[in-house]
Amino acid sequence: MLQFWFPVVFWFSLSNPIPASFESAFVLTVKMLEKVEGFDMERVIEEFERVTKDAERIQRETLKRILEDNASAEYLLNLGLNGRTDPESFKAFVPLVTHQDLEPYINRILDGDDSSVLTGKPITIMSLSSGTTQGKPKYVPWNDELFDTTLQIYYTSFAFRNREFPINNGKALGFIYSSKQFRTKGGVLAGTATTNVFRNPGFRHTMKSIQSPFCSPEEVIFGADFHQSLYCHLLCGLIFREEVRLVSSTFAHSIVYAFRTFEQVWEELCVDIKEGVLNSKITVPSVRTAMSKLLKPDPELANLIHKKCMGLSNWYGLIPELFPNVKYVQGIMTGSMEPYLKKLRHYAGELPLLTSDYGSSEGWIGTNVKPTVPPELATYTVLPQIGYFEFIPLRELEGAMGDTNFLCMDPKPVGLTDVKVGEEYEIVITNPAGLYRYRLGDVVRVMGFHNSAPEIKFVRRSSLLLTINIDKNTEQDLQLAVEAASQLLAEEKLEVVDYTSHIDLSKDPGHYVIFWEINGEASEEVLGGCCNCLDKSFVDAGYTSSRKVNCIGALELRVVRRGTFQKILEHSLTLGAAGSQFKTPRCVGPTNTKVLQILNENVVKNYLSTAFN
């Protein structure tokens, strides 16, 4: 899944004039930043209402602006667009593309080509995707205009969120981590999208302007060691426990991971607070120096935290118990993050869970303007002024869904205002940073409209399919199967810590493999039952019929030892990912060899289903 969240916003490059066609939303955000302390929540909401009421016109003007700004780009000139800016010409001359189609151009930029390759102005920064889907990160162009859209979407979501849950002046306990930026051999600066945001000089100032500066000093956020930074985030949160108003991270997984860690280290944290001396395992000099300025001996606080932890039942309600003034917990909680909601609710108790905005390393898509809706039902309203959007009806792809080359088809997308409620679509995005008619690979369902802008729900990644024969099981199908089978574990007061899947074609017939990490020892009988339940829970007709005639072999459940998914996280960090950007791959393909190796080397038990015997 490509959902993404930036807990910060950027300023405009005011030296670059804004085209007249550029909607007043940008003018509004410029004015906001000129006097950022005087954030006008109602004015932001009014502007959102205005642009969504005339989404079709806004879309045409957004495309015109993007194409005018990039008219000199070699890519567009080679396609023969010749300065045209209308949607009809754009669709006639510019093909639908995937990342693979653009790689030759991106590689030239990475190698130091500073001409107008994809955009009118040279690209000087690249973002790295999480690498979840293919097992390796992708390079994605990034520029000032994408910073501008970050500004718009974040202020919009904050306005709606703060109207429902005003946080006043407080602090945010944000589990955020910045990986290192580096230079490519051609001199282009590269880093994860979150890193490119966090390292912006306006980061702290902006968070202060919306009354939610982070508890942790910059040295912790930019710390070289993920685990040391996590420990210090927890410590900072405890030090400022009375001031914490929200707990957040990019993904729900990061929040759950943080408090699972807290269960292991809380006594060490209490010792640090009691004695006023940082744990010796924190070895990064800049982090130790920054933390020493915050950490003072406080036996009273240490005893209070110790008492509260001892009084919890299986850590239920941990967050509000530790941070009594928290208003909500925030992060991306839809799509591949939904499996973590049960554990997150356990930690959050009665606190609201608010899912964040919807976007990707390639660009923003929509914002959550209904923060009171539970994450499972959350929708995202597409902002028509931040990019040009098209939607490929999924029914056009259904005939080729079993074909791994289905992305090479020539489907006919529809426009932003032409989508239909209840239908599913693959998103196509055109952004200001050189992606034109780019197939994002996300499948969404249109749930309704806010004025004339669609409200969409993320469904799945189009490429993440479990398929061997005529079966078509999605990431969501896998999630539902795991949820059903995990109910058997719950009877023994156990839970699935994390999971993934794999198609094993080493023997004929091929079969599904589900990897589980669980938080304790389950009986052979229960795990065998879980395996059968997983097999039976894939209700796709193609799967069940293929299983019955043995065209697909028995499903296999492989239980891995504790800490296996942490090793996968560690591997992701070595590839340059930021800890807060990590997403567990829900289907490990054959090219993701290292993750597959980690999983198989840590299998402690395996079971074959007898459900169709």
Side-chain angles (χ1 to χ4, degrees):
M1 162 180 143
L2 286 183
Q3 285 181 315
F4 206 61
W5 172 76
F6 292 127
V8 292
V9 295
F10 283 83
W11 69 93
F12 281 93
S13 299
L14 297 179
S15 59
N16 297 325
I18 299 173
S21 63
F22 202 21
E23 280 301 313
S24 62
F26 276 87
V27 178
L28 171 66
T29 47
V30 171
K31 289 179 179 178
M32 285 178 195
L33 287 180
E34 289 173 349
K35 192 177 180 182
V36 77
E37 299 296 340
F39 176 73
D40 190 336
M41 180 175 69
E42 293 304 322
R43 189 175 179 184
V44 174
I45 293 174
E46 288 173 8
E47 182 65 14
F48 168 79
E49 296 292 345
R50 189 190 71 80
V51 297
T52 56
K53 283 177 181 175
D54 199 2
E56 183 176 1
R57 179 179 67 84
I58 302 296
Q59 277 282 274
R60 294 183 72 93
E61 295 191 359
T62 300
L63 178 64
K64 180 181 180 182
R65 169 180 56 81
I66 291 172
L67 296 181
E68 284 179 345
D69 288 350
N70 298 305
S72 61
E74 175 189 325
Y75 179 79
L76 294 177
L77 291 174
N78 287 346
L79 292 172
L81 198 58
N82 293 328
R84 299 178 181 88
T85 61
D86 60 285
E88 295 75 20
S89 297
F90 178 63
K91 294 174 184 178
F93 285 90
V94 179
L96 297 171
V97 296
T98 65
H99 189 271
Q100 184 176 0
D101 297 318
L102 296 182
E103 278 185 345
Y105 299 92
I106 292 173
N107 288 338
R108 282 174 53 191
I109 297 171
L110 292 172
D111 290 342
D113 189 337
D114 61 358
S115 64
S116 298
V117 179
L118 289 172
T119 54
K121 294 180 293 185
I123 293 292
T124 58
I125 301 177
M126 285 282 180
S127 287
L128 286 169
S129 71
S130 64
T132 301
T133 306
Q134 302 297 331
K136 62 179 182 179
K138 296 181 298 186
Y139 285 97
V140 180
W142 192 260
N143 64 7
D144 287 345
E145 285 70 26
L146 285 188
F147 296 168
D148 301 344
T149 64
T150 302
L151 181 70
Q152 291 184 78
I153 207 156
Y154 190 68
Y155 267 98
T156 302
S157 64
F158 174 77
F160 281 94
R161 190 168 67 247
N162 206 52
R163 186 169 66 173
E164 298 292 339
F165 304 98
I167 57 177
N168 300 317
N169 288 311
K171 293 183 182 293
L173 173 53
F175 296 103
I176 56 175
Y177 313 90
S178 175
S179 61
K180 290 182 179 180
Q181 288 177 314
F182 61 94
R183 295 279 179 183
T184 68
K185 65 179 182 180
V188 176
L189 193 65
T192 64
T194 47
T195 295
N196 292 337
V197 172
F198 298 156
R199 289 189 177 276
N200 189 282
F203 176 82
R204 285 280 173 178
H205 183 70
T206 300
M207 295 310 295
K208 183 178 180 181
S209 75
I210 56 173
Q211 306 168 12
S212 52
F214 288 100
C215 296
S216 304
E218 292 183 1
E219 291 82 356
V220 171
I221 295 169
F222 300 137
D225 185 286
F226 164 71
H227 299 290
Q228 293 185 36
S229 290
L230 169 54
Y231 184 91
C232 291
H233 278 317
L234 291 168
L235 185 55
C236 290
L238 295 176
I239 292 170
F240 295 106
R241 66 183 296 269
E242 295 286 347
E243 300 176 55
V244 173
R245 298 291 184 270
L246 68 146
V247 174
S248 64
S249 190
T250 311
F251 294 119
H253 168 270
S254 297
I255 305 174
V256 170
Y257 186 89
F259 287 107
R260 285 191 189 275
T261 301
F262 180 86
E263 291 185 34
Q264 308 300 318
V265 302
W266 70 275
E267 291 177 298
E268 295 176 66
L269 291 165
C270 286
V271 171
D272 290 2
I273 294 171
K274 181 179 180 179
E275 299 178 354
V277 178
L278 187 61
N279 194 301
S280 60
K281 68 182 178 184
I282 309 303
T283 58
V284 178
S286 60
V287 174
R288 289 198 67 87
T289 299
M291 291 300 297
S292 67
K293 297 176 183 178
L294 298 177
L295 190 58
K296 308 299 179 186
D298 194 339
E300 184 178 347
L301 176 58
N303 291 336
L304 175 64
I305 294 167
H306 192 280
K307 182 179 179 180
K308 287 185 175 297
C309 290
M310 293 298 291
L312 290 171
S313 176
N314 195 29
W315 300 102
Y316 176 81
L318 170 63
I319 296 175
E321 193 67 24
L322 291 179
F323 313 105
N325 296 312
V326 163
K327 297 294 186 71
Y328 55 85
V329 178
Q330 181 198 10
I332 290 172
M333 300 177 185
T334 51
S336 63
M337 293 297 119
E338 282 192 26
Y340 305 108
L341 285 178
K342 182 179 179 181
K343 190 65 175 180
L344 189 55
R345 283 198 171 98
H346 182 83
Y347 287 135
E350 300 301 316
L351 285 173
L353 301 184
L354 276 60
T355 191
S356 301
D357 305 311
Y358 175 31
S360 67
S361 299
E362 289 88 349
W364 287 106
I365 299 162
T367 185
N368 178 15
V369 298
K370 298 177 180 178
T372 60
V373 174
E376 294 90 341
L377 303 176
T379 59
Y380 303 94
T381 302
V382 181
L383 293 188
Q385 77 276 32
I386 63 173
Y388 185 72
F389 301 100
E390 300 171 74
F391 297 81
I392 302 173
L394 202 62
R395 60 179 178 273
E396 290 201 18
L397 302 175
E398 285 178 346
M401 289 296 274
D403 181 0
T404 57
N405 294 316
F406 78 93
L407 285 175
C408 297
M409 295 175 59
D410 185 26
K412 306 299 179 186
V414 299
L416 178 69
T417 58
D418 297 322
V419 295
K420 297 179 179 179
V421 175
E423 294 288 317
E424 292 186 357
Y425 301 87
E426 182 191 328
I427 296 179
V428 177
I429 185 172
T430 295
N431 74 10
L435 301 183
Y436 309 99
R437 308 197 78 196
Y438 181 95
R439 294 181 68 169
L440 199 57
D442 282 8
V443 173
V444 298
R445 182 181 299 116
V446 178
M447 306 302 291
F449 282 84
H450 188 102
N451 296 322
S452 62
E455 297 174 332
I456 58 177
K457 179 179 176 62
F458 179 89
V459 177
R460 59 179 171 85
R461 290 283 294 156
S462 60
S463 58
L464 285 179
L465 284 173
L466 289 168
T467 180
I468 294 174
N469 188 28
I470 58 172
D471 50 314
K472 302 171 189 174
N473 281 302
T474 68
E475 181 179 340
Q476 189 175 42
D477 295 324
L478 172 62
Q479 178 186 330
L480 293 173
V482 170
E483 287 176 354
S486 64
Q487 294 302 313
L488 300 178
L489 282 180
E491 296 174 7
E492 294 197 352
K493 297 183 178 180
L494 297 173
E495 62 186 10
V496 177
V497 174
D498 220 332
Y499 68 90
T500 190
S501 63
H502 174 64
I503 294 293
D504 189 344
L505 300 176
S506 61
K507 296 180 181 178
D508 190 25
H511 68 285
Y512 290 11
V513 177
I514 311 298
F515 293 94
W516 271 12
E517 180 180 324
I518 57 180
N519 66 337
E521 295 292 329
S523 67
E524 296 290 312
E525 180 182 359
V526 166
L527 289 172
C530 289
C531 183
N532 286 346
C533 184
L534 283 167
D535 206 1
K536 280 289 190 180
S537 295
F538 287 105
V539 296
D540 170 66
Y543 181 77
T544 56
S545 61
S546 296
R547 283 286 287 117
K548 288 175 181 177
V549 297
N550 203 36
C551 288
I552 296 177
L555 181 142
E556 183 179 3
L557 172 61
R558 298 179 187 173
V559 180
V560 297
R561 61 175 52 93
R562 292 295 302 274
T564 297
F565 282 86
Q566 181 172 329
K567 292 179 180 178
I568 295 173
L569 167 60
E570 298 284 358
H571 168 64
S572 177
L573 297 177
T574 65
L575 296 178
S580 50
Q581 194 175 336
F582 173 76
K583 300 190 293 290
T584 297
R586 293 300 177 211
C587 182
V588 182
T591 60
N592 207 343
T593 53
K594 181 59 180 179
V595 170
L596 200 55
Q597 179 185 344
I598 293 170
L599 289 165
N600 285 326
E601 287 178 350
N602 286 278
V603 172
V604 291
K605 294 180 181 179
N606 67 302
Y607 303 86
L608 283 175
S609 169
T610 59
F612 289 86
N613 289 3

